[in-house]
Amino acid sequence: MTISFDSSPDGVKNVRMMVLAGGFPDIAGTRPGTTVGTMHAIAIREPGNPEVLEWTEQPDPRPAPGEVLVEVAAAGVNRADLSQRQGNYPPPKGASEVLGLECSGTVAELGEGVTGWQVGDQVCALLSGGGYAERVAVPAAQLLPVPDGVDLLDAAGLVEVACTVWSNVVMEGGLAEGKLLLVHGGSGGIGTSAIQIGRALGARVAATAGAPESIEFCRRLGADPVISYRDEDFVEVVKGLGGADVVLDNMGAAYLDRNLSALAPDGHLAVIGMQGGRKAELDLGKMLVKRLHISVLGLRGRPVDGPTGKAAIVADVREKLWPLVAAGKVLPIVHDRIPLPEAARAHALLEAGGVHGKILLVRP
């Protein structure tokens, strides 16, 4: 394997890996099947501000039966990572304590019973944790190939948002051609993915955003209209379009009643975040009259297997969404690439706001 480092003007190193004939050594020069012993990963010293994140030496993960060991090239940064760092979002039982819900990289080792993958495959992975590290073990059913035409590093910011949007908006919400999707927070990682997916499916997409540059960014992705949540009432705008068939909401309690008002008859509200609080009064009468549906579904805590498990979501994404990605209709939107040991800087940047798309942590 050869590794080249290209320094961009801002000093962020972009890592590109090429597997050559004659076997796949890992970065430490060892062969699959040997015990490396330790690796480096981001640890949380204590709950708190971004400064509590530290680049530390930790035990090397080993793939259990049914798992694959991935040599990480890059990891995506998500708001859930910020909540975990603050002590508000612990990982599911048995998951890695290391941050990181998605990564891209190269298959370094196959656990017992794994088929369909080979050492050296370039992949992106949906994780329950562990992405902010040099290596991570992941169930093989949560792997996806890097889509044609997508850079290996950029693929790190694709899989978690793709699976979140697809499972909530399409598999649960039934979004299809000709329907209207309302996306809250359109310029963020989830929002930029949702706008593109909706457009690729032939739906009309409306989005909310705040700053003028964020509004313009959503417009360029295909959202129309883009509603300023600072100056406009999204309920009135969307009702003027006939109501939304699906609403993708990251605000929770603060927007609950208004989202129900914005829905068309038989509409579906998919709640994926609680930035606006956890508790609100629910008007069942409004739901009954318009035959509305609400789903509040997370992704991280789902089991691997089962009809609503991660494996089923990943398989559906691979079959139906990945061809749209390969065709260039849905692409990863990357705001910045930051070296993995500087995860604290990435968290501070995301918390400061104004991020369009995803921040990636790149393996040094």
Side-chain angles (χ1 to χ4, degrees):
M1 178 174 62
T2 61
I3 305 174
S4 63
F5 295 94
D6 299 327
S7 296
S8 61
D10 64 357
V12 176
K13 293 180 177 179
N14 301 327
V15 183
R16 293 177 174 84
M17 300 183 177
M18 179 173 64
V19 180
L20 303 179
F24 179 88
D26 70 13
I27 284 184
T30 58
R31 298 275 176 178
T34 63
T35 301
V36 176
T38 61
M39 65 166 183
H40 286 88
I42 293 294
I44 304 172
R45 184 175 66 248
E46 60 186 4
N49 293 325
E51 291 74 19
V52 303
L53 299 181
E54 298 178 332
W55 185 240
T56 63
E57 193 172 84
Q58 299 194 22
D60 210 19
R62 308 303 305 159
E67 291 186 340
V68 167
L69 185 67
V70 174
E71 193 80 28
V72 174
V77 179
N78 293 281
R79 288 202 171 271
D81 302 336
L82 276 56
S83 295
Q84 182 175 338
R85 187 204 73 224
Q86 295 163 349
N88 298 323
Y89 190 34
K93 184 178 180 180
S96 172
E97 295 285 340
V98 175
L99 293 167
L101 302 181
E102 59 186 340
C103 74
S104 63
T106 308
V107 173
E109 185 177 346
L110 304 178
E112 180 183 348
V114 173
T115 59
W117 299 100
Q118 296 181 352
V119 170
D121 285 345
Q122 290 192 339
V123 297
C124 46
L126 179 67
L127 308 172
S128 297
Y132 289 21
E134 293 178 318
R135 283 175 287 278
V136 63
V138 55
Q142 292 175 208
L143 287 184
L144 285 159
V146 174
D148 292 341
V150 175
D151 178 84
L152 175 63
L153 299 182
D154 290 349
L158 185 61
V159 62
E160 200 274 343
V161 292
C163 288
T164 296
V165 173
W166 191 262
S167 61
N168 281 276
V169 168
V170 180
M171 297 176 74
E172 290 289 335
L175 185 69
E177 184 177 1
K179 293 190 174 184
L180 175 61
L181 168 66
L182 171 61
V183 178
H184 289 299
S187 63
I190 293 288
T192 54
S193 179
I195 291 171
Q196 293 182 86
I197 290 173
R199 294 287 294 164
L201 293 174
R204 184 175 185 181
V205 181
T208 63
E213 57 270 23
S214 297
I215 292 173
E216 179 58 29
F217 191 82
C218 293
R219 286 199 182 105
R220 293 202 301 268
L221 288 176
D224 180 27
V226 184
I227 306 158
S228 170
Y229 62 75
R230 298 175 180 174
D231 304 317
E232 298 178 270
D233 182 354
F234 73 81
V235 176
E236 293 305 313
V237 174
V238 173
K239 285 174 68 175
L241 301 173
D245 298 291
V246 183
V247 175
L248 183 63
D249 175 64
N250 60 355
M251 293 300 293
Y255 276 12
L256 178 60
D257 188 65
R258 296 173 69 198
N259 280 329
L260 297 180
S261 297
L263 283 170
D266 299 304
H268 186 103
L269 169 60
V271 180
I272 60 169
M274 297 178 290
Q275 295 181 38
R278 300 172 57 181
K279 297 181 180 181
E281 185 172 289
L282 178 62
D283 187 345
L284 294 176
K286 185 179 295 186
M287 294 188 65
L288 182 66
V289 169
K290 293 202 290 183
R291 304 176 301 279
L292 303 180
H293 305 262
I294 300 177
S295 61
V296 186
L297 301 174
L299 184 62
R300 185 185 194 184
R302 293 182 186 228
V304 177
D305 300 313
T308 60
K310 295 176 187 175
I313 294 171
V314 168
D316 209 55
V317 164
R318 182 171 184 174
E319 177 188 356
K320 299 172 184 175
L321 178 56
W322 250 221
L324 299 176
V325 177
K329 295 182 179 181
V330 178
L331 297 174
I333 306 297
V334 178
H335 182 90
D336 201 358
R337 294 177 175 179
I338 294 175
L340 179 53
E342 300 178 31
R345 179 158 67 91
H347 277 219
L349 180 61
L350 184 57
E351 287 182 339
V355 172
H356 295 159
K358 297 298 288 287
I359 298 172
L360 303 182
L361 295 173
V362 177
R363 170 82 176 271

